[in-house]
Amino acid sequence: DTTRRLTKDDMSSWRGGKDAGGEPSVDAQLEDLFTKLSQAVEQGSHKRALKCADDVLKISPGDADAIRCRVTALIELQRFADCAATIEKDVADDALRRDLAFERAYALYKCGKVDESLGILQTETSQDERESTRAMQLEAQLMYRAGRHGEAATIYETLFRDRADDVGESSNTAVNLAAALVAAGRGSDLAGSLKRLKISPKDSFELAFNFACALLETGNLADAADYLTLAKNQGAETLMDEDLDEEAIADELVPIDAQRARVAEMLGRKEEAAEGYRAAMAIKSTDAATQAIAANNLAALVGPRGEGGADAMRQTQRFCDKDGKLNEALVGKLTEAQRRVLVINRAKALLHSNHLDRCRDALVTLRKLPGGEGAREAAMLEAALFMRERKPEKAVKLLTDLIASGANGDGGAVRDARLALAQIHASAGDYAAAIEALKGVRELEGTAAGAATLVALHELAGDASGADAVLDGSGAAGGAVGAAPEVALRAAERKLTRGAASEARAIFESVMN
């Protein structure tokens, strides 16, 4: 509470009687108003305190105590824009502006003006204020909102190390530390940090959720699923105790639902995952970030023709503009990695919805994304655009040049280009060229899917010996004997077709055994 408590001694200088005309003097009016203001503050009646402060300022503009009370009342009433405006417009005294710099920074933070708030906190507050616990906590929150998650995590760690008495009892600070570590890609550090602080991830549903996210980051899917279930159950119980209605509880827990769907997807349970994403999207949520992630993941999982996929893709197009700038509701609420995924999937959604010109505009932004993923996706999308525009020769040239260049050492880009090129050639009936394009795709070597694809292409090309060679080479030393069952059975069928019954029988027996 930044309001200075007012006592009788504070108001001694305003004591006075009536003026010559019989009306209470200014001093007497101020004494009466400050008495009422003090009572309102002590009783926590913020609306009354605000009215009293305004009445004082009508008589005594610029009064420092009244302004402080007004600022505090506006914060308590969550009128943050009015609070910031009061300090910016109504405070002429430099010393008072400096004293209220923290409150101004906090109000701007609550208004979503992260950069402005951070600038004021770091440059306009006093040295003592900047080193206070509350300022460090606000700075960490601002760093998190600004996407500077590593710096936020460092500040929280400093608070727990150097200000343990101030923050040790705050579960919110522990939750914020956990969220910052996960967002900074330091999920593997979370268990150790909580252990040093003697905090259990089961202490609250928010901590359990963030701990599950850390486990997910490290690939521990089974434990992540367990902690998400714990978070869901704890959260429902906690929020019911707080008398939230069913709709509000669903809104609070939607991030957990979306993350459970993500775990199901990673475990290969695609139907369960899709249903989870659809359920998260159906909730009337105030959490724009979770809604965006759920829509993005569903679109990627089921495509434009799957249940809910078309709607998810339409939503994906609205998450950011062609320059990759997030819409206002998402600013400061997604990691950089999540933003990159949204930018990429927006371009894909534009392609699928046949907005070809807008998709082509988006390729410029994709190529500017850090890392190789954006450039890789841009190349694949440009090839797809050429195909949509019935310019297959341009698509083939683009992919062939990319393969020849080695894609600057990006093996994933070369693989994707070979697969896309094979699909184009196969669609055009040039099966030999499709087979050639698949050569060197290591991910297909030794797999049943790879063998089946090559066999089918050789057969379509009328190359029986080539198909046999693929099948014979797909097993262990004994040829198709010892290969994957589906490959072995296909090899046995071909042996029978060619009259090699004994060889076919050996393969059937190996599958049965």
Side-chain angles (χ1 to χ4, degrees):
D1 183 357
T2 57
T3 305
R4 184 163 67 89
R5 300 293 183 181
L6 302 176
T7 66
K8 290 182 180 179
D9 289 339
D10 289 318
M11 295 176 283
S12 59
S13 60
W14 290 307
R15 295 181 186 278
K18 297 182 178 180
D19 61 22
E23 293 295 324
S25 67
V26 170
D27 287 350
Q29 291 179 59
L30 286 173
E31 179 179 354
D32 180 57
L33 287 171
F34 270 104
T35 298
K36 293 177 180 178
L37 176 56
S38 181
Q39 291 172 347
V41 170
E42 290 174 359
Q43 293 169 5
S45 179
H46 306 301
K47 288 184 179 180
R48 192 151 49 89
L50 178 61
K51 183 180 184 306
C52 290
D54 286 344
D55 289 342
V56 169
L57 291 169
K58 289 176 184 176
I59 299 173
S60 179
D63 184 280
D65 288 320
I67 288 174
R68 285 191 176 93
C69 288
R70 186 174 204 279
V71 165
T72 299
L74 288 169
I75 289 175
E76 293 291 347
L77 293 169
Q78 298 188 28
R79 290 172 55 181
F80 301 111
D82 291 337
C83 175
T86 292
I87 301 171
E88 291 165 7
K89 298 176 182 178
D90 300 338
V91 179
D93 182 74
D94 290 341
L96 182 57
R97 283 178 69 87
R98 186 167 55 254
D99 287 346
L100 293 173
F102 173 84
E103 285 77 6
R104 183 183 173 199
Y106 179 75
L108 289 169
Y109 157 69
K110 297 297 286 185
C111 291
K113 298 182 178 180
V114 173
D115 293 339
E116 188 178 352
S117 174
L118 188 58
I120 290 169
L121 185 67
Q122 293 179 334
T123 62
E124 296 190 23
T125 55
S126 66
Q127 184 67 29
D128 287 344
E129 180 66 86
R130 282 196 294 276
E131 294 176 355
S132 69
T133 298
R134 69 174 188 171
M136 291 178 68
Q137 288 178 313
L138 178 56
E139 185 177 19
Q141 284 291 86
L142 288 166
M143 292 293 188
Y144 187 91
R145 286 282 187 90
R148 296 160 64 178
H149 304 115
E151 293 170 82
T154 298
I155 294 173
Y156 284 126
E157 289 174 318
T158 301
L159 282 168
F160 275 106
R161 185 185 66 239
D162 300 341
R163 309 287 175 87
D165 291 341
D166 294 338
V167 301
E169 299 299 321
S170 171
S171 61
N172 286 338
T173 307
V175 170
N176 291 341
L177 167 64
L181 285 171
V182 172
R186 292 178 53 195
S188 58
D189 295 339
L190 181 55
S193 294
L194 294 180
K195 186 175 181 180
R196 283 193 299 275
L197 299 171
K198 298 180 180 179
I199 296 173
S200 168
K202 299 179 181 180
D203 284 351
S204 70
F205 77 90
E206 298 97 336
L207 263 179
F209 171 71
N210 282 311
F211 195 70
C213 293
L215 291 168
L216 187 61
E217 180 185 304
T218 58
N220 192 339
L221 302 183
D223 285 349
D226 289 342
Y227 269 94
L228 287 171
T229 299
L230 173 67
K232 175 83 173 185
N233 294 337
Q234 277 189 342
E237 184 176 342
T238 299
L239 297 171
M240 285 179 65
D241 290 343
E242 294 177 5
D243 292 329
L244 269 67
D245 60 32
E246 188 174 332
E247 188 173 299
I249 292 173
D251 186 12
E252 288 286 335
L253 299 182
V254 70
I256 300 174
D257 295 333
Q259 197 69 296
R260 292 176 79 183
R262 175 62 176 155
V263 171
E265 181 181 353
M266 295 178 74
L267 289 170
R269 303 199 295 263
K270 293 188 176 182
E271 286 300 321
E272 179 184 338
E275 183 56 38
Y277 292 137
R278 285 191 288 266
M281 290 172 61
I283 293 172
K284 294 180 180 178
S285 177
T286 58
D287 189 339
T290 296
Q291 292 285 296
I293 291 169
N296 177 75
N297 290 353
L298 179 63
L301 181 62
V302 304
R305 294 182 178 83
E307 183 181 350
D311 180 55
M313 285 199 166
R314 281 192 292 272
Q315 291 190 41
T316 300
Q317 295 175 36
R318 299 193 294 268
F319 295 146
C320 58
D321 63 17
K322 67 182 181 66
D323 297 319
K325 182 180 178 182
L326 294 173
N327 68 37
E328 190 173 337
L330 296 175
V331 172
K333 296 180 181 178
L334 297 176
T335 65
E336 177 57 24
Q338 289 171 329
R339 185 190 74 85
R340 289 198 300 270
V341 171
L342 288 185
V343 170
I344 290 169
N345 285 344
R346 173 183 177 273
K348 292 180 179 179
L350 289 170
L351 174 69
H352 285 296
S353 57
N354 226 31
H355 295 302
L356 303 188
D357 290 339
R358 291 172 62 195
C359 179
R360 191 171 292 283
D361 288 342
L363 299 185
V364 178
T365 301
L366 261 61
R367 293 190 175 99
K368 293 178 181 178
L369 292 177
E373 186 179 7
R376 179 196 312 169
E377 294 290 350
M380 296 302 104
L381 282 169
E382 187 171 16
L385 280 168
F386 282 137
M387 294 302 293
R388 288 287 183 98
E389 294 166 348
R390 299 183 180 181
K391 300 174 182 177
E393 69 286 350
K394 289 190 174 183
V396 169
K397 184 178 187 308
L398 171 68
L399 296 170
T400 302
D401 289 347
L402 183 64
I403 294 167
S405 70
N408 295 320
D410 185 349
V414 173
R415 175 203 62 214
D416 291 349
R418 286 187 174 278
L419 292 172
L421 189 58
Q423 185 175 9
I424 292 172
H425 285 314
S427 298
D430 191 346
Y431 305 114
I435 293 168
E436 186 65 27
L438 291 177
K439 289 181 179 179
V441 180
R442 290 195 300 270
E443 290 82 355
L444 292 178
E445 294 175 4
T447 66
T453 300
L454 288 170
V455 167
L457 288 171
H458 277 291
E459 289 178 336
L460 288 168
D463 181 9
S465 61
D468 288 338
V470 171
L471 291 170
D472 289 341
S474 63
V481 177
E486 54 268 46
V487 176
L489 291 172
R490 187 74 185 90
E493 290 175 8
R494 288 193 60 81
K495 296 289 186 184
L496 283 174
T497 301
R498 297 169 59 190
S502 59
E503 294 179 42
R505 183 175 61 197
I507 295 173
F508 282 130
E509 288 175 348
S510 72
V511 173
M512 294 176 64
N513 294 332

